[in-house]
């Protein structure tokens, strides 16, 4: 699962859907953090979690450090860490874990069904620090990492043998490597300094470590990239027989390296190039024995099952630890402050490192959900997956069918040829609808979320 964040421009409205470009936002989670606001009452976590089921929680630990920041990246991360900062950050993470685990209480069994380390780059930590990270998840939170799917993100430069050995021994079942391209000229164009030989060496180490599932992230739409060079990167990735591949369209986001020197406004030619490359990549992977899980995610047909996909791990019942992590209850999504600019990110990390138990026992920034937003979130999470939304699941959770709640929205998608009713049990996007997922998702945002995102003071 990638933790890439979507752009923070104003979402497309349903009325503008017909004229919208295909690349509006990556709907990784709904609502996006730019819809979050400071919570005046700072509710106690013990009160938020008291009514929640806690027998199948997801655990996410966030490490906000990278060795470099790529030109396209707007993740919550800083470049490097002064001496002692990673240790101080893990100290704070341990204080937070202790406070959160206490808030979950003992009145009902607490069990974690999935776990993930993301960032940033979790493998920026040393092998010893990674072992401590696992200890925090296990001993402070009570997660049995060897018994549940554990996904970890890494970069080629930090996928060293000692780090991978720790992850393999502690139960990692999936390693996601951010490669983006195997063509060095394209890596330079994306402001991502890396050598092909180093990427190949990292992939060899991952296979030698024996982690069951390898995911490779690739990006299309890079300046100078052609269909031939895109297929070259795909074939280079396929030579490692990765169990999963994520294909991401390049976004040029505000406050990023590429964004600071990019033109503003729509770019129909670039949109068409990205769509062409997406279709070429999709068809290439389907022809090589992969199944499509979403617009971005492809899984090898014979790959071992991993349990919850990225869609499920964004469901209610998520515990996020770290200053860039989100947590989800049925009534509130909450986190710490959010920023993209380097100065602001450093300040947020410093505040987090200085935090004490009282700070970590309350929610600080968030978005309160209601039944209407819960229905909309279920629709988005399900419809943007290739398997679609099962009507029985929707009926069991909410009563009625999606057409009762979202009739005009669904009609607009059907009019565009992006929605099929061929299966009366499932609401599903057509192949072309799936290709336009980054326009479909934002068009389904609620007016309240659109307004909050548009009013966000970018920093």
């Amino acid at each position: 699962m990638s933790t890439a964040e979507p752009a923070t421009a104003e979402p497309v409205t349903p009325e503008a859907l017909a004229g919208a470009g295909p690349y509006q936002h990556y709907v990784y989670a709904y609502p996006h953090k730019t819809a979050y606001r400071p919570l005046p009452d700072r509710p106690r976590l013990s009160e938020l979690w008291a009514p929640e089921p806690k027998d199948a929680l997801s655990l996410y630990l966030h490490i906000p450090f990278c060795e470099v920041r790529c030109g396209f990246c707007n993740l919550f991360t800083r470049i490097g860490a002064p001496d002692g900062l990673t240790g101080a950050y893990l100290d704070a993470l341990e204080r937070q874990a202790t406070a959160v685990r206490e808030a979950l209480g003992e009145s009902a069994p607490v069990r974690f069904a999935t776990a993930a380390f993301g960032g940033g780059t979790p493998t920026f930590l040393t092998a010893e620090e990674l072992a401590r990270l696992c200890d925090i998840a296990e001993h402070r939170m009570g997660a049995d990492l060897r018994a549940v799917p554990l996904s970890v993100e890494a970069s080629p430069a930090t996928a060293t043998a000692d780090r991978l050995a720790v992850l393999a021994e502690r139960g990692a079942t999936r390693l996601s490597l951010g490669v983006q391209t195997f063509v060095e000229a394209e890596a330079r164009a994306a402001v991502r300094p890396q050598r092909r030989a180093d990427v190949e060496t990292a992939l060899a180490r991952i296979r030698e470590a024996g982690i069951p599932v390898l995911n490779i992230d690739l990006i299309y739409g890079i300046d100078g990239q052609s269909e031939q060079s895109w297929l070259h990167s795909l074939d280079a990735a396929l030579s490692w027989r990765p169990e999963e591949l994520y294909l991401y369209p390049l976004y040029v986001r505000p406050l990023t390296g590429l964004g600071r020197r990019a033109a503003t406004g729509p770019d129909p030619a670039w949109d068409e190039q990205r769509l062409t490359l997406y279709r070429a990549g999709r068809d290439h992977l389907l022809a090589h024995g992969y199944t499509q899980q979403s617009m971005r995610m492809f899984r090898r047909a014979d790959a071992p099952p991993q349990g919850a996909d990225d869609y499920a791990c964004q469901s209610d019942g998520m515990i996020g630890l770290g200053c860039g992590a989100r947590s989800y209850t049925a009534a509130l999504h909450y986190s710490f402050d959010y920023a993209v600019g380097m100065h602001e990110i450093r300040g947020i990390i410093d505040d987090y490192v200085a935090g004490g138990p009282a700070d970590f026992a309350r929610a600080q920034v968030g978005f309160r959900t209601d039944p209407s937003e819960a229905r909309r979130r279920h629709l988005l999470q399900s419809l943007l997956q290739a398997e679609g939304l099962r009507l029985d699941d929707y009926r069991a959770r909410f009563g009625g069918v999606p057409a009762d709640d979202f009739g005009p929205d669904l009609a607009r998608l059907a009019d565009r040829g992006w929605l099929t009713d061929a299966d009366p049990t499932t609401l599903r996007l057509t192949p072309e609808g799936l290709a336009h997922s980054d326009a479909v998702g934002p068009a389904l945002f609620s007016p309240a979320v659109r307004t909050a995102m548009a009013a966000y003071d970018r920093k």
Side-chain angles (χ1 to χ4, degrees):
M1 158 180 79
S2 171
T3 57
E5 295 284 359
T8 55
E10 184 175 356
V12 63
T13 63
E15 293 75 18
L17 177 62
Y23 300 104
Q24 299 294 320
H25 302 285
Y26 172 19
V27 185
Y28 170 70
Y30 177 80
H32 182 248
K33 271 191 180 180
T34 52
Y36 291 17
R37 294 294 182 271
L39 300 166
D41 57 338
R42 296 189 66 202
R44 297 189 66 85
L45 301 189
S46 56
E47 297 170 359
L48 290 174
W49 285 98
E52 299 289 319
K54 294 183 275 286
D55 59 340
L57 298 173
S58 295
L59 180 64
Y60 176 76
L61 276 65
H62 179 259
I63 303 299
F65 306 108
C66 289
E67 71 274 17
V68 295
R69 190 173 196 184
C70 304
F72 52 83
C73 176
N74 74 338
L75 295 179
F76 186 95
T77 189
R78 63 164 292 165
I79 303 168
D83 288 346
L85 182 57
T86 54
Y89 183 85
L90 290 173
D91 290 343
L93 196 70
E94 188 158 7
R95 292 194 298 274
Q96 185 190 10
T98 301
V100 170
R101 184 60 186 83
E102 182 178 334
L104 293 177
E106 303 294 342
S107 59
V110 176
R111 175 182 171 271
F112 291 95
T114 65
F117 301 158
T121 307
T123 49
F124 179 89
L125 301 177
T126 65
E128 293 76 13
E129 289 170 333
L130 280 172
R132 185 180 176 195
L133 186 68
C134 294
D135 286 343
I136 292 170
E138 292 181 336
H139 304 321
R140 295 300 181 186
M141 293 304 298
D144 187 350
L145 296 183
R146 293 178 179 86
V148 303
L150 169 60
S151 179
V152 183
E153 295 173 0
S155 67
T158 61
T160 58
D162 58 342
R163 291 175 170 105
L164 294 170
V166 168
L167 295 174
E169 194 277 327
R170 299 302 287 265
T173 56
R174 179 180 182 270
L175 198 291
S176 182
L177 193 72
V179 173
Q180 319 314 349
T181 176
F182 284 83
V183 179
E184 292 184 11
E186 292 175 3
R188 290 192 295 272
V191 195
R192 181 183 176 85
Q194 69 182 18
R195 296 189 310 136
R196 166 100 181 244
D198 296 334
V199 172
E200 301 281 359
T201 298
L203 287 164
R205 288 194 190 114
I206 294 166
R207 283 311 197 195
E208 289 167 5
I211 295 172
V213 172
L214 165 65
N215 172 71
I216 296 177
D217 287 347
L218 296 175
I219 286 180
Y220 54 92
I222 299 170
D223 188 32
Q225 189 177 50
S226 65
E227 184 171 337
Q228 181 181 10
S229 69
W230 172 232
L231 293 177
H232 174 78
S233 275
L234 286 169
D235 285 336
L238 288 171
S239 70
W240 292 97
R241 299 200 74 241
E243 284 72 22
E244 294 177 2
L245 280 153
Y246 270 76
L247 309 185
Y248 289 95
L250 179 66
Y251 275 91
V252 175
R253 303 172 172 101
L255 303 180
T256 63
L258 292 178
R260 284 192 289 271
R261 58 182 198 244
T264 58
D267 189 340
W270 190 34
D271 286 346
E272 189 56 39
Q273 181 212 19
R274 285 181 287 179
L275 272 176
T276 297
L277 295 177
Y278 160 79
R279 292 175 180 132
R282 174 198 62 194
D283 294 348
H284 198 66
L285 294 185
L286 294 178
H288 282 77
Y290 285 75
T291 60
Q292 186 168 16
Q293 308 295 307
S294 68
M295 172 186 163
R296 287 164 171 75
M297 183 183 180
F298 296 79
R299 178 178 291 141
R300 212 178 71 209
D302 61 347
Q306 272 292 286
D309 289 335
D310 56 347
Y311 140 107
C313 73
Q314 298 299 334
S315 299
D316 298 337
M318 166 74 79
I319 298 285
L321 302 179
C323 59
R326 287 177 269 210
S327 297
Y328 305 131
T329 70
L332 180 71
H333 296 184
Y334 64 91
S335 67
F336 297 94
D337 201 5
Y338 171 70
V340 176
M342 283 289 98
H343 178 74
E344 288 77 10
I345 286 175
R346 287 173 183 152
I348 294 170
I349 293 173
D350 290 345
D351 289 345
Y352 176 82
V353 166
D359 301 299
F360 297 136
R362 294 178 178 272
Q364 299 184 20
V365 178
F367 183 91
R368 297 187 185 278
T369 61
D370 58 24
S372 174
E373 290 289 10
R375 290 192 292 271
R376 192 173 293 275
R377 187 163 180 258
H378 185 94
L379 175 71
L380 278 161
Q381 289 176 317
S382 304
L383 193 59
L384 296 181
Q385 300 298 307
E387 66 181 16
L389 187 157
R390 291 187 56 82
L391 300 182
D392 285 349
D393 292 344
Y394 191 92
R395 186 179 294 109
R397 184 175 178 187
F398 303 111
V401 293
D404 296 336
D405 302 316
F406 305 104
D409 298 299
L410 298 177
R412 277 186 285 269
L413 297 180
D415 288 345
R416 295 282 291 170
W418 293 351
L419 195 65
T420 176
D421 57 1
D423 181 350
T425 70
T426 304
L427 197 64
R428 185 178 287 116
L429 293 176
T430 63
E432 196 61 15
L434 206 60
H436 286 79
S437 291
D438 286 7
V440 170
L444 295 173
F445 289 2
S446 72
V449 166
R450 274 190 223 110
T451 299
M453 290 178 67
Y456 173 72
D457 184 15
R458 190 178 294 129
K459 56 188 178 182

